């Protein structure tokens, strides 16, 4: 399945957002996720299915002003 | 003490964490500044997991974090980013930025007010990065903001207070509202000037991070903010056009009398 992760095309076998976060090797407790522009809370990732063409954002703490 | 949404802080310095030469210098600069509040952000996570290391560094400083929505250009983006920041940083505080124009990074004040109202409804405590417009300030307060953060000058410009008159006017109109000058400062004297106007705090990043010696500059700003606040509390004299002798005139020696 082809999806967009952080603006880049990505081929995945993950069926849910939680599985995608794990597949990418991110620390699930540190990152925040959004699906197609809407916030996807940590507790809802396992119940959030992915579909062809979905746009996923995975954000983490960074320096800011 | 300054108070922001029922949180009291002794330091009136809020320091940004971006653009330092190294993580160690960032840590040292936070310590030297005396700041108890630091701004942070969210960015796309790469494969290396750099986010966790940065977050550990910030937590080790003991500072309270104020996440921002930097880079957002629409209400939707800003609201989603704020929601993500609340989960990651575990705080209802959000420095709300909705940028309207790239050359000046000027806030889109219409979207800002709309996003502030929505985030307040969702339980956020919003610190809106705004222009110094009086009516926008009123709308932000009506939207639920309990802090206002007018710009001193465009982000990163180092120009200082572009419009002291307007900042003074805001202070006079909203005597009970915590006011923070956010962005555009370059020198400790700029920060002192804002504090002398009666502002409650200063938020800056670039002036410290990009200084030749960020740690020394963080300390200098910290001292200037304290000095400016003390000057304000001491109730300064009014400026006047003509001289007024400071030495008593009674009992002047004979050669000065006719």
């Amino acid at each position: 399945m082809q999806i967009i992760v952080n603006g880049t095309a990505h081929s995945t076998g993950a069926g849910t957002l939680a599985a995608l976060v794990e597949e990418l090797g991110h620390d699930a407790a540190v990152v925040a996720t959004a699906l197609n522009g809407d916030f996807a809370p940590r507790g809802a990732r396992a119940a959030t299915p992915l579909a062809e063409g979905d746009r996923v954002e995975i954000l983490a703490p960074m320096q800011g002003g | 003490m300054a108070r922001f949404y029922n949180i009291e802080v002794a330091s009136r310095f809020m320091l940004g964490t971006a653009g330092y030469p190294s993580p160690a210098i960032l840590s040292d600069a936070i310590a030297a500044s005396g700041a108890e509040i630091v701004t942070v952000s969210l960015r796309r996570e790469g494969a290396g997991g750099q986010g966790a290391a940065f977050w550990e560094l910030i937590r080790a400083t003991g500072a309270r974090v104020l996440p921002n929505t930097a880079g957002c250009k629409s209400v939707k983006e800003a609201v989603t980013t704020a929601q993500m920041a609340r989960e990651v940083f575990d705080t209802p505080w959000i420095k709300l930025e909705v940028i309207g124009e790239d050359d000046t990074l000027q806030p889109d004040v219409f979207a800002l007010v709309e996003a502030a109202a929505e985030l307040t409804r969702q339980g956020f405590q919003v610190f809106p990065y705004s222009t110094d417009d009086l009516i926008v300030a009123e709308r932000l307060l009506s939207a639920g903001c309990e802090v206002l953060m007018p710009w001193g000058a465009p982000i990163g410009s180092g120009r200082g207070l572009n419009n002291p008159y307007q900042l003074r006017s805001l202070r006079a109109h909203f005597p009970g509202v915590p006011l923070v000058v956010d962005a555009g400062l370059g020198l400790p004297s700029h920060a002192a000037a804002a504090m002398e106007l009666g502002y409650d705090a200063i938020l800056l990043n670039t002036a410290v991070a990009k200084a030749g010696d960020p740690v020394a500059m963080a300390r200098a700003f910290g001292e200037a903010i304290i000095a400016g606040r003390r000057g304000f509390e001491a109730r300064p004299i009014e400026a006047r056009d003509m001289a007024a002798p400071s030495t008593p005139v009674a009992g002047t020696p004979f050669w000065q009398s006719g």
Side-chain angles (χ1 to χ4, degrees):
Chain A
M1 175 169 61
Q2 285 290 321
I3 60 174
I4 309 286
V5 178
N6 287 348
T8 304
H10 180 78
S11 183
T12 182
T16 65
L17 200 46
L20 177 69
V21 169
E22 191 180 339
E23 175 190 289
L24 292 171
H26 296 311
D27 183 342
V30 171
V31 297
T33 49
L35 178 62
N36 297 323
D38 290 320
F39 174 52
R42 190 175 293 143
R45 285 178 204 153
T48 302
L50 293 177
E52 184 78 23
D54 272 348
R55 289 176 296 110
V56 177
E57 290 287 327
I58 302 176
L59 307 187
M62 278 290 285
Q63 297 84 347
Chain B
M1 300 287 273
R3 177 184 284 261
F4 304 104
Y5 291 100
N6 295 323
I7 297 293
E8 281 200 337
V9 287
S11 170
R12 295 173 179 275
F13 192 177
M14 303 179 184
L15 186 59
T17 58
Y20 291 78
S22 73
I25 290 175
L26 166 60
S27 281
D28 290 348
I30 293 171
S33 72
E36 295 166 49
I37 298 170
V38 298
T39 55
V40 293
S41 192
L42 285 178
R43 284 292 180 273
R44 285 171 166 172
E45 178 72 320
Q50 308 92 325
F54 169 71
W55 188 207
E56 276 307 306
L57 183 152
I58 293 300
R59 271 197 282 215
T61 68
R64 183 177 294 275
V65 294
L66 174 57
N68 69 27
T69 63
C72 290
K73 293 187 169 178
S74 70
V75 174
K76 172 74 174 169
E77 282 175 5
V79 168
T80 301
T81 302
Q83 291 168 325
M84 297 170 89
R86 178 162 63 178
E87 182 178 84
V88 167
F89 294 112
D90 194 25
T91 173
W93 282 13
I94 191 74
K95 174 183 164 179
L96 181 60
E97 289 184 40
V98 189
I99 299 302
E101 204 276 322
D102 281 337
D103 287 334
T104 58
L105 296 177
Q106 175 158 340
D108 176 340
V109 294
F110 304 97
L112 181 71
V113 170
E114 192 181 334
E118 175 58 27
L119 289 170
T120 300
R121 271 193 294 274
Q122 295 185 19
F124 285 88
Q125 295 174 333
V126 179
F127 293 64
Y129 169 60
S130 176
T131 63
D132 51 23
D133 187 278
L134 180 62
I135 310 306
V136 170
E138 283 181 346
R139 296 292 166 87
L140 288 167
L141 295 174
S142 297
C145 297
E146 295 179 19
V147 179
L148 296 173
M149 301 210 298
W151 62 355
I155 295 169
S157 68
R159 294 176 52 84
L161 306 181
N162 263 355
N163 195 340
Y165 164 80
Q166 191 61 27
L167 293 174
R168 188 180 298 119
S169 173
L170 280 178
R171 181 68 287 176
H173 271 86
F174 306 111
V177 177
L179 297 181
V180 182
V181 167
D182 178 7
L185 306 192
L187 295 168
S189 56
H190 299 154
M195 295 307 294
E196 288 163 3
L197 292 176
Y199 274 67
D200 292 277
I202 302 294
L203 200 171
L204 60 85
N205 188 154
T206 308
V208 165
K210 298 301 185 189
D213 184 342
V215 179
M217 190 61 86
R219 185 171 291 112
F221 268 102
E223 291 170 350
I225 288 164
I226 290 169
R229 178 67 189 183
R230 285 184 177 152
F232 169 73
E233 289 174 346
R235 299 189 301 279
I237 62 165
E238 291 295 324
R240 49 184 285 164
D241 288 334
M242 294 298 148
S246 54
T247 301
V249 291
T252 45
F254 62 89
W255 61 80
Q256 291 185 14
S257 58

